[in-house]
Amino acid sequence: GLGGGGSGSMTIVPGTAPGFPPFETKQGGEIVGFDIDLLSAVVSNTDYELESWKDFEFSSLTPALKNDKIDVIAAAMTINEKRDESIDFTNPYYSADQAVLVRKGASSPPSEFAGLAGRTVGVQEGTTGASVVEKQLVKPGKIAQSKFNTYGNYVLAVEDLVNRNLDAVVLDTPVARTFVDRRAVTIAATYETGEKYGFGVRTDADDLTKALNDGLKQVRNGSKYEEIRDEWFAG
Ligand code: GLN
């Protein structure tokens, strides 16, 4: 990536973590989703060209970026101070909070985030959902470490929830809503975090960051952003 091989156009390798619908999922072996379409639209407004997508587990994306295996992360990644210490982010392109997902018809589901105390909770490794549960509930001893389960992706966590191995899964609100549409699960409570997603780039790639921000601005000013959003968040 980040070279043109003398062809004149600069190519970039995008990386994502499928298993986070509707932002990125695999459909018949192909990676598709809101992030995929949005980044393509953004890059089409720049002098860069996208190479094929590479997929990783979410927690491996930042190392992959830093080791030059990919040039940009498009994975519904929340911009936060901790991550900002090791990578850069574009301007935000989507907002989210955290949701407590439980089985449909579960008896006495938690009516608020704090109600997760004493329950068995699943999260995806390396996410903001994992850190909020850890900070608010595991560290203060409200959930035993043995009842705090981390998964490589949220599809596996939701599977364990449906199979009654978990009482709840904590994850980003838009993704929780997508699972509600697809599985026998429901949102019992939400926890306001006011997260904002950005594309991740290396700290030394200022030209790329600037180009992506310009491209994103054009996508948002026109009708393209709404088009892509309506396609992936319809109904
Ligand atoms: N937005 C959350 C985070 O950044 C979850 C992202 C994801 O699982 N793809 O941690």
Side-chain angles (χ1 to χ4, degrees):
L2 280 190
S7 69
S9 77
M10 299 171 289
T11 60
I12 48 173
V13 179
T16 192
F20 206 60
F23 293 97
E24 38 269 338
T25 42
K26 271 196 173 170
Q27 244 169 44
E30 208 194 334
I31 302 171
V32 298
F34 176 88
D35 280 338
I36 312 310
D37 288 351
L38 182 64
L39 185 66
S40 301
V42 166
V43 171
S44 74
N45 289 326
T46 72
D47 291 335
Y48 293 88
E49 258 177 55
L50 280 186
E51 289 187 33
S52 325
W53 286 81
K54 288 195 179 171
D55 63 289
F56 297 86
E57 287 197 339
F58 184 74
S59 58
S60 301
L61 283 168
T62 301
L65 179 69
K66 299 190 78 161
N67 294 330
D68 296 339
K69 292 200 174 86
I70 54 176
D71 300 308
V72 58
I73 297 172
M77 189 177 268
T78 300
I79 303 165
N80 64 29
E81 267 175 39
K82 196 166 166 232
R83 289 172 180 160
D84 227 353
E85 283 168 12
S86 67
I87 63 172
D88 278 346
F89 285 97
T90 62
N91 292 328
Y93 65 81
Y94 208 89
S95 307
D97 293 301
Q98 293 296 309
V100 175
L101 202 64
V102 299
R103 275 184 303 284
K104 209 179 263 173
S107 58
S108 57
S111 58
E112 53 176 355
F113 182 78
L116 285 171
R119 305 188 194 235
T120 305
V121 177
V123 294
Q124 176 180 300
E125 191 185 351
T127 57
T128 48
S131 67
V132 85
V133 173
E134 200 153 24
K135 266 191 214 127
Q136 309 287 330
L137 299 161
V138 181
K139 285 242 171 76
K142 291 176 177 150
I143 292 179
Q145 190 70 53
S146 60
K147 290 186 155 192
F148 177 52
N149 299 309
T150 59
Y151 297 82
N153 68 63
Y154 272 117
V155 172
L156 298 173
V158 171
E159 200 58 42
D160 247 9
L161 174 65
V162 170
N163 291 334
R164 302 180 169 270
N165 294 320
L166 295 173
D167 296 321
V169 169
V170 174
L171 76 173
D172 297 25
T173 41
V175 180
R177 283 184 218 112
T178 305
F179 280 116
V180 168
D181 291 339
R182 298 181 181 185
R183 309 298 308 263
V185 293
T186 186
I187 295 170
T190 56
Y191 183 81
E192 207 177 306
T193 52
E195 295 172 52
K196 292 195 169 10
Y197 301 163
F199 298 122
V201 275
R202 272 186 298 280
T203 51
D204 63 0
D206 289 348
D207 290 349
L208 175 58
T209 309
K210 192 188 171 303
L212 292 177
N213 279 335
D214 289 346
L216 181 60
K217 200 172 179 183
Q218 290 180 55
V219 167
R220 296 203 81 146
N221 285 347
S223 57
K224 195 73 191 163
Y225 184 90
E226 274 76 29
E227 243 172 64
I228 297 170
R229 195 191 52 198
D230 290 351
E231 182 178 343
W232 292 101
F233 291 90

